[in-house]
Amino acid sequence: MANATQTPQRPVPGAFTNTPGPRQPNPPEPTPRPPPITPELNAVERAAKTINDTLEFQRIRYPELEHYVNQGISSDYNVATEAVPGPFQKVKSFPIPDRIFEQYNQSQMRTTMGLFADLGHAWVAIDNALYMWDYAQQNPDLIGFEEQPNAISAVSMVKPREGVFIPAITRLIVIATSMEVLLVGVSVEDLPAGGRRVTLYQTRMAAPVRGLDIQAIEGDPTTGRIFFATADNDVYELYYQQEERWFFNRCWKINHTTSRVSAFKPSLSAFGFGKGDPVEGTTKLALDGSRQLLYTLSTKSTIRVFHLKPGNAMDLVITKTLRDTLGNIAHMIQQTELLSTNTTIVDIHPISSKESSKLHLVATTATGCRIFMSATSSFAYLSSGQSSIPTSMQVHHVRFPPADTNLNATLLAPTPPSSQTVNTTSKALIPTNKSARYAPGYFFDFVAAPRDSRDRVFLAAPDSGRLAYMGEQAQGFRFLENGMWISLEGRAAAVGLATEPFAAAESPVGFGNELVVQHDRSTTEIAILTNTGVFTYRRLRLVDEFASAVRLGRAEDGLEGSVRAFVRIYGRGETAACALAVVCGQGMDVTNDFRVASITDPDVLEGARTAFIEYGGRPQLNENSLLDQTAAAIDLVKPSPRHDGVALYISRVVRSLWNTTIADQKTEPARGLIITSTVATEKLQDVQQKLTRLQEFVNANRTFIEGLSGPEAMGRAATRQEEVALQAENRALHALVTLVSNMIEGISFVQMLFGERIEEIVLSLSQEAREQFKSLTYESLFCTPDGRSLAKDLVKAIVNRNIQNGYNVDTVADSLRRRCGSFCSASDVVIFKAQENLKRSAEKGKLTEFGRSLLNESLRLFNTVVDSLTLPQLQDAVSQYIQMEFWAGAIELCLELAREKDRGNRALAWIEAGRPENDTAAAIFAERKRCYALIHQIIHAVDHIQIAAADSEFSTEQDMNTRRKAVAEARSAIDDSDDEVFQNDLYDWYISNDQAEKLLQVQSPYLVRYLQRKAQDDISIADLLWKYHTQSGRLFEAAQVQFDLANSEFHLSLDQRIRYLSRARANASSFVAGPGRANRQQLLRNISDALEIANIQSDILQNIRDDDRFQGDRREQVVTIVNGRLLPLSELYVQYADQAAYYDICILIYQAGGHRVPTDIRATWRNLLERTHEKAVENPQGSQPWEAMANVVRNLGTRLSLSEATFPVHDLLPLLKRYAFENQRGVGPDTWVVDLFMDIGVPLETVFGVLQGMLYNDEAPFRGNNRQFVANDLLHVSHRWFRETRNGRPFGSDANANEVLTTLQYAIHHGLSQARVQECQELRARINQLLR
């Protein structure tokens, strides 16, 4: 075939419009594939999913600390200017009381100052006395401790070890003097008017430290261990216990750095000797309780790391000298005087494992550089989940000071490119004498001013908004900080965190995300103590920065520029969230009287409102996803950033209670069950107030907010895509607004619940409900049907408890309605009473007279409030009625509610009009149908009880009569119903649930008309018709219906039509009385002919789908025609098979049409094999050419049943042998051709005869040595023929055996390869042996 003429490229089928044959009609438009059916979420469920997705998105989008404090160096700061606020805002200053100065003037030896900022107190140690005062109070009282005679050298406040002191003592003040270290107990009491009352307790715990110069004290808040360091570079632990023990006092010190023998050696420096090289001493202690690591900083800038072990032990694991530190930095930067051998480290700050899994410590140099370090074990970085002891510490990142000058710096300036050169020469922070760092990265650098008495402080904080936006945009993270300078009024003495330590999460993922806690917790405040007073600064939140930007924009008539700049840096969604927060009163500022209060400036509020409404973006429809039609178009819309901003704001307001259980339960022996709220009442009120402000804003501005403005907004849509996008936006925003309303009332319900005797209420619930209440979260209460159902149970318990206590039902209902109307209305109370009657009837017995009376009373109550009944309540009532065998009452209630939902009977008119899709009555019918679905359950229960009663041997005659009466009442309620919509739905239900036998039992002319009418347009009804014929034994009529369906104009695929024909042939083949034999034979013949043609049409359809020669949409046009009604055989050949060169199908058409011209058949087979070879060669990734040829021949041979006319073996075998020799020699198995024919069932005698003729004829190309290819196949066939017949006569007869012997002998001398001569002789010998 290699030299054969290539088969001309055929046009695609249907291209020749002038080809004789019937013309094709215009193909119908393809029917769009319906989207998959997914459960539809209601508004609250959709909003809950949005809130959960938003919370998770906020958690994962914010980078971990080491992701933006990455390996290397940086110096990017956005330093505040006069026009742009910095990261902190000064709140207030508090002077030092005059009485402190009076005591100071009397000092003789030493004075030190400090802060207990978390208590709101400052302290001063003057000689031997310690004084404390509440710095936020005017004319505060001094709290003094003067009960020891020695000068105080150091003071620190720590958390005590549990169980050592009375519960009132929650803190300890550690006072170090020249002679001893004392512990003073501290109790703290919050005062109703604000502030705290601090009381000191003399613990009488002290350890002698004579001769030690204590420099630093540090405590572990998790274990209560206390450590202090001395000028001799020793680290001690102060151990204390409740009672004295043998060999141990109540308090003593343990030296962890000097051996016990050297501890008794006198210190020469204490006596004035040893004035040589200065002794290295410890200046700072820092403790990381999360990793149990204690860091020390020495006077030589050496950092030591101790691992704290149980049992008051610790080991020195790392010593990091300044030289080692500089060595780590050397590969990061070129030489700079900011980090040289003359540089000293002035402070160290640990980073907890909650904040970072990789970074451990920040060291501050005197030049203002921050060195981030990570401790490692011998194999990996230490994370919060590892208990490995660190063995080394490496420099991870170096943060250089801000530039000396900050010209044109602005918070809203474009982000500088990442390739910006790092400034490694700035001396802006020289000389730094101390620093402070607080999570999640607040940094305070105190710069001494030698020529002035006023120190300067550089404050820096992470740009959380920009970092979060980087995570949202999947950008690379950079270390971005906002900074500011402040000038202190005096010399800095101490700095402290006045609020709870920051933690947005309990793990590094999301820990530093300040955005998520903006509205959930108080703003971080820092207190700085100088020699003139205490100054407090609050962290400026992103919402406050936005308010400042709006104020600046309004003042300069540039609101649009400010908002657009904010959008560019922080994203449109975050901008919308900030704007919404400001208009809802969450923007905070310091007032003229130094109070932190909500921003009420009308201009700022109006600017924020404008930003939210006009710059909130638009929803977007993902048109690319519309192509696969896997979802409804409205589900492919991405809501606007305005919607995202609303979701962000709501999620941040309710963040702390969203997944929190409502109550904590515990049991005490004396008091029994005790239930308390997990969320403080003040917190609930705060959240509710914020949500109420949001609700008020939305209600007041609904007409201006795109997506909430109502139907008139749809009229502004220019395209269908815009209309769908607006519909999706409306659905999303409406869901959030609905959820807000639910949350407001839900919080009111919780407050009301805890205002009652909640323990009694919970104990009155069922055991299952009590278990549900234990795990009930606020999210479940707000959003889930189970939560609302449990709330209904709680309301029911409240109502019953109040009724038992003598309260009127209306009084209770009115109280509930005022506080949480959606949880309980007056109708709810009636429903509760009806449900109570149901419950009591079950207790009295369903067959008792009193029980039936209670059932009738419950039905009466339900009917009085039927307009307020919800579907779940109806379902519950019906379920109980079914259990009580009150079927007629259940049916009556369902029909009554269905009628209530459609007083105008619009559903019936909709059915008679043909059920148009866009009619609003369709929704009304759906509501009624839900009620009818419950009647279907009742019918099922009645049928089941009838079967059970018939099978029961123990039912009394009275019980049987009662049940018969109940069944008759139920049947009568159904049959006597004048609800025609219900009757139609009942018939539809029978059909859809494969219960046709019940439908056909109905003796009604309406049923007959129902079937006849719907069968014309509904194929399922037509299917019911032939199934009915089959069930009735009228198989001929069933076959006729099926045959008509196969040839009908219904939109049926070809496969469906083939299935109908197959069933029709089976039915027509069965003998039944009725139709004449001739009619049955004629129908059967028509069906068989149609089925054969349909199978050929199916093959053409598959080829068209796989054919790559189609251009544009031509393929879909042709597929639409072929995959439809059955086409004539001539049309299939002329229009499709012959035109498109589908030669295999042409051969099948020859077989079906009785075409027996050998020349046509041989030519078609030759073209088929040539085309198959060409396709296989063109697709080297597919099957081998010989495999493709074998598959084609095998498939056709099977379908043609090896017909001698259309499957001529005498022509095909030589043709394939010649192909294998010329095109596939050595590629496939040597005998693949003969194996193919033998495998599909061609008789071996026939295969042998064809090969014998080829060997004897000596035709090209099998001449000379090439005859071996035929001879070898002959030997192979002979072997197989011999194996299959050796149990009988070899080769079927002696004549065949002798013919084989002769042929093999001829092959030995005429072509058989030498390698197989011996094999051939052995076979001949075995044949001869069997012939003897």
Side-chain angles (χ1 to χ4, degrees), residues 824-934:
C824 181
S825 62
S827 298
D828 289 332
V829 177
V830 177
I831 292 171
F832 292 150
K833 296 306 295 180
Q835 292 172 340
E836 182 65 21
N837 284 335
L838 263 176
K839 180 180 178 182
R840 292 174 59 196
S841 67
E843 296 172 353
K844 297 299 180 180
K846 58 186 177 184
L847 300 179
T848 65
E849 182 179 353
F850 187 56
R852 305 301 287 188
S853 175
L854 289 172
L855 287 173
N856 286 314
E857 176 62 15
S858 69
L859 178 61
R860 185 191 68 79
L861 290 173
F862 277 131
N863 284 331
T864 59
V865 292
V866 68
D867 57 332
S868 300
L869 270 180
T870 64
L871 184 62
Q873 290 170 337
L874 177 65
Q875 291 170 338
D876 181 65
V878 169
S879 176
Q880 295 184 63
Y881 280 150
I882 290 175
Q883 293 178 9
M884 299 297 295
E885 300 181 5
F886 191 47
W887 301 305
I891 294 171
E892 178 185 341
L893 182 59
C894 292
L895 292 174
E896 189 66 29
L897 182 58
R899 188 178 296 108
E900 183 67 28
K901 291 182 178 295
D902 184 18
R903 289 180 176 271
N905 211 13
R906 294 178 58 193
L908 179 60
W910 176 73
I911 292 175
E912 293 175 345
R915 307 191 181 201
E917 294 183 359
N918 298 326
D919 198 323
T920 55
I924 298 175
F925 173 77
E927 289 292 326
R928 297 182 68 167
K929 187 176 178 64
R930 294 188 181 96
C931 300
Y932 301 148
L934 296 176

Side-chain angles (χ1 to χ4, degrees), residues 109-112 123-131 145 148-155 174-178 182:
M109 298 177 61
R110 185 173 186 176
T111 301
T112 56
W123 61 268
V124 60
I126 302 175
D127 295 338
N128 66 322
L130 175 67
Y131 300 102
F145 180 78
Q148 59 88 29
N150 304 306
I152 298 174
S153 59
V155 176
V174 185
I175 302 176
T177 70
S178 58
L182 305 93

